[in-house]
Amino acid sequence: MASALVPASFSLAHPAARRPVNSTGPAAMLMLRRAGLATVCPPERSLGSDCLRAGADPRLAIHVALRCRSASSTGRGTRAAATMTKKSVGDLTAADLEGKRVLVRADLNVPLDDSQNITDDTRVRAAIPTIKHLISNGARVILTSHLELDYLVGAVSNPKRPFAAVIGGSKVSSKIGVIESLLEKCDILLLGGGMIFTFYKAQGHSIGSSLVEDDKLELATSLLRKAKEKGVSLMLPFDLVVADKFAPDASSQVVPASAIPDAWMGLDIGPDSISAFSSALETTQTVIWNGPMGVFEFDKFAVGTKAIAKKLAELSGKGVTTIVGGGDSIAAVEKVGVADSLSHISTGGGASLELLEGKELPGVAALDEA
Ligand code: ADP
Ligand code: MG
């Protein structure tokens, strides 16, 4: 049998006041362009008086740091020390805002309980005056935050254990980074989808006409070895639903994973595997899932994927943290109708996987510096 239970002990809002401020302000203002951004340096303005002159809501706690490199009167080429002058959102009037779109970077990292209820909404409420000020002065507000990301990173870097990952999808090559990263973190790794045939073949089993990546056989072997070394329980399906062709109306049969008939292809995990995967998941406190268990686009081969989706929904109801990422996986949980029951659906798609891999996301990094 090709099954392998490898017992191896796995920041609101800084309204971009860097808006290109046309020199509508006092002539004393010094406008400089730096790094493609227009910045304004009001050298003699104090934050407090500005806020008051602008009639700023005193609750506007978010100030905008305007960085400027002051031009030196001592001659060209001399770089003066950078000065930091703070300006409030309240400084922006209707003349500045009318008809503009304002990107507001909000820190909405509110604390959540195990059921994802907000336990302290101070940060959300603190953002409201800023948003109201912008809207009431004619701006259209685009809010950006990163709660969605911290949650993911936190759940994976400091998970409630046992922590299981269910990884499927078409190819092992597209998930190498994720699997390697998860092998460092999770306790249980369940593999399904088209990638499993590369693992079976690497173990010397025949796989019929199933999807396989022949150039990844060594990789599969090394991942199995790594799981053992790390003490991760890596489980491959015991049985499979095989088809005589890649089509929704293909003939199908359930076979042991070690006995795939020639010319037949595995398109789903079998009933025994569904039971085994479900039992393993029942022992967990955190589950992340990426990649369908089979060709779920064809109803006949969507059984394994649907079963995992339902199991995660059931576990969520028992307080287990359940996270699903990946376009097709999200489509699958939507199709089954359990998306709302899960702890977190990561709409970041590939980006959420990169986060799981520990990669820095350029867009997020840029926002962190804003
Ligand atoms: P996600 O978008 O959730 O990250 P992937 O894009 O990696 O998922 O994989 C989804 C695709 O994997 C689906 O199109 C599905 O049909 C395919 N797939 C799953 N199991 C198999 C299989 N046994 N053989 C061929 N393709 C499969
Ligand atoms: Mg996909």
Side-chain angles (χ1 to χ4, degrees), residues 142-364:
I142 303 159
L143 278 170
T144 170
S145 187
H146 63 234
L147 173 65
E148 204 158 62
L149 299 181
D150 279 358
Y151 184 81
L152 256 188
V153 172
V156 174
S157 61
N158 188 24
K160 291 183 290 176
R161 293 183 183 278
F163 172 29
V166 184
I167 306 294
S170 51
K171 295 178 174 178
V172 65
S173 55
S174 64
K175 313 273 167 148
I176 297 169
V178 181
I179 295 175
E180 286 185 332
S181 167
L182 289 169
L183 281 173
E184 302 289 336
K185 297 168 182 147
C186 71
D187 304 299
I188 299 168
L189 178 58
L190 308 178
L191 298 182
M195 70 166 68
I196 56 179
F197 304 100
T198 302
F199 286 89
Y200 293 143
K201 187 164 182 178
Q203 289 179 315
H205 298 292
S206 60
I207 54 163
S209 59
S210 306
L211 191 68
V212 67
E213 292 174 280
D214 282 315
D215 60 339
K216 295 289 179 287
L217 297 176
E218 281 182 23
L219 170 78
T221 302
S222 76
L223 290 173
L224 291 170
R225 188 176 54 240
K226 196 170 178 182
K228 196 169 184 176
E229 288 167 4
K230 297 282 178 189
V232 175
S233 292
L234 187 153
M235 195 185 287
L236 286 164
F238 300 114
D239 59 348
L240 302 165
V241 180
V242 294
D244 61 349
K245 58 181 176 180
F246 190 85
D249 62 348
S251 296
S252 65
Q253 58 179 311
V254 175
V255 301
S258 56
I260 301 174
D262 285 350
W264 286 63
M265 61 184 77
L267 296 187
D268 197 7
I269 62 175
D272 289 348
S273 305
I274 292 174
S275 299
F277 281 16
S278 297
S279 298
L281 291 175
E282 273 166 18
T283 68
T284 64
Q285 287 300 312
T286 305
V287 182
I288 66 167
W289 178 25
N290 170 249
M293 295 291 97
V295 183
F296 75 104
E297 295 94 335
F298 301 158
D299 284 343
K300 197 168 185 174
F301 307 103
V303 177
T305 301
K306 285 182 178 173
I308 295 297
K310 286 180 181 165
K311 176 52 73 177
L312 261 61
E314 178 194 320
L315 292 172
S316 305
K318 295 178 181 171
V320 175
T321 300
T322 54
I323 300 169
V324 176
D328 290 295
S329 308
I330 292 172
V333 295
E334 299 276 3
K335 193 172 175 180
V336 176
V338 297
D340 290 343
S341 307
L342 305 172
S343 307
H344 186 79
I345 299 282
S346 178
T347 50
S352 55
L353 293 185
E354 292 187 352
L355 264 180
L356 297 181
E357 287 178 47
K359 286 184 185 167
E360 184 179 75
L361 303 181
V364 175

